Amino acid sequence: MARSAALLNNEFQTSMTAGEQDRRDGQTGNRLLGRVVACNGSRATISAVADGGQTALTELWSVGRLISISVGRNRVVALVYSMSTDQQSWVENNDTVFRIEVELLGEVHVSPDGREEFSAGITDYPYLGAIAHRIRAADLARVYDTGKSDVCTIGKLTQDESLDATIHVPSMLEKHFAIVGTTGVGKSTSVTLLLHKAIQADPQLRVLILDPHNEFASAFGDLAVVIDTDTLDLPFWLFRLEEFAEVVFRGRPPVPEEMDILRDLIPEAKRAFRGSSESGLMRRSSEKSSMTADTPVPFRIADLLALVDERIGRLEGRAEKPHLRSLKVKIMSAINDPRYHFMFSSNTITDTILDTIARIFRIPGEGKPVTTFQLAGIPSEVVNSVASVLCRMAFEIGLWSNGGVHMLVVCEEAHRYVPADPKLGFTPTRQAIARIAKEGRKYGVSLGIVTQRPGELDPTILSQCSTVFAMRLANEHDQEIIRSAIPNSSSSTTSFISSIGNGEAIAFGEAVAVPMRMRFSRVEADRLPKANGTGIRASEDTSQSVDLRSIVARMRAISGPDISGFQNSYLSSNASNASLPTGYEDAPYEDEEDYIDTLEAAATPQPVVHEPYRPDMLPGAAGAYQPSTQERFDAIRRELAEPQRPAADPYRQPARPTPAFGGTEEPRREGSIREQLLKKPLSSLIRR
């Protein structure tokens, strides 16, 4: 017994000596010690006593904190995930025994060269009675040390605010990352911070942000280019067949017969466009090339419609004529919709693929490596198509440049594009994002997923994200998804994920050594993401100063000047002398902008022309007189009131006998037009 007591005292003194080696507060004996009373391969139970019911040191055992268990020369690191008292009560002024459930994470051991380092494996497991105590600050730093020099500080450790929370950015980007959390916990601010750190770590990085809420425009200042519907020129011919069909059919399932027509005619329209400036030999060689509906080659919608009209005019193929007419109506509806101006404007007719790629994907960049692509103003039925085009082009740029362009695509609200249900969402978008997730790291294309509903996100996409920042999640299903993504050895880390604070996250994966509970650093006020909802407003407008006309114009998706006044003045010829240019009705227009420009030119006051007007062009002239609607109705009434006399026909007898010689003419009928028609013989209503 004496020997056991001596060993225990020696072990206790060794632990106290080790604990006092790294005091930051200068106090001694500020550790509440415990003993291991149970242990299995991954977890252990520790028993401790609060002397006299004091709670001054029990906070060291709170949930989410790391503790240390001394095992010989090594110190096993464990995470507290549960605690309780033996009697399920707390006795004031008396000793209270409580139990702490911990999960074993790894150990701090002495390497062969004499340095202390942390490893995830455990060589010697704690034995019963092993002493557990608060972890040293130096050991805590070793636990979260990634062992790499090029790390970035993104915040502070929750357990110890004096220690920086660091991540290895190349590891985070190499195998993708995800930020999940419910609304209002600070996801957008965290994304802003991480992207700023990523750009600092890799100046050659090019970032494309799919921004559905238009909130990242103010987050990067001079480092970013903002693209919205007013400044966007995304040519329709960059869309693949399925993406173009999503626009034409307005998000509805495409008609197979009409899809086959597009598949046949779009390559012909592309060849017609290329052949317009090529010689006969070059045209024949290009026709032999493998031109498909998916080849990113310009073509004109006018050529496509002309090919549709040509098929309609053929004698054969009567069964497909209804589908041809229906397809033509859909295409005309799309190109005449002002909301699709970014696709069908005059700037999208020429071959601008180099300018489009250089502007959207920042190649070479000109000191602005970030592109915030605002999707809020794009029609909801084509948002998926636009996202598909951008993600697909990002991957192809990395692929065909042999990894020479390092690209990062950040998908905000990613569950919209890659939902968990395969029947939902847009298949090409899902395929484009999945291709980046599975193969992008081979070609320097990284993916950043941001979502508030990981349970609604495709699990295949989330499983490809090797680094995850899990912020507060209230939904139980979402929590279960994150638990399944964390390695088994640290599954208890998410047991308290539903109650962590705003701006706080649990980081795990390739970019960190072990799961780390940390708090993100605050972002400067001028870099905070700002939306037009609650919070900081983008302008000083109030309900008293907002212009309702501009709101209604945006709701109606009106682009260009308001020409309603001009149209009214043109239709009322007695009130205006303005007239459209000669041949206006038959003039061909490339798009709606051309049409509006013509109307503007006609509405603009012209200089005085000394050439005299013709009399029939002047308002009120005899040649320019047009009867009013009331006058036309009066003429019809008079015509119906007059007796119907058959026209003289030498080969046909009259329908009824003429009045006898000397008889009087039939009296004029009175009453309404309906009564006159009912009383009139049917034969008199038929023109002979």
Side-chain angles (χ1 to χ4, degrees), residues 605-611 613:
Q606 301 296 328
V608 178
V609 181
H610 296 286
E611 181 182 354
Y613 292 100

Side-chain angles (χ1 to χ4, degrees), residues 221-250:
D222 296 336
L223 294 176
V225 171
V226 180
I227 298 180
D228 55 14
T229 52
D230 296 332
T231 59
L232 172 62
D233 285 324
L234 191 64
F236 61 89
W237 46 265
L238 281 178
F239 288 54
R240 286 189 172 178
L241 178 60
E242 290 181 332
E243 298 161 350
F244 184 73
E246 182 80 359
V247 177
V248 173
F249 293 95
R250 305 297 182 97

Side-chain angles (χ1 to χ4, degrees), residues 335 425 594:
I335 64 177
D594 193 9

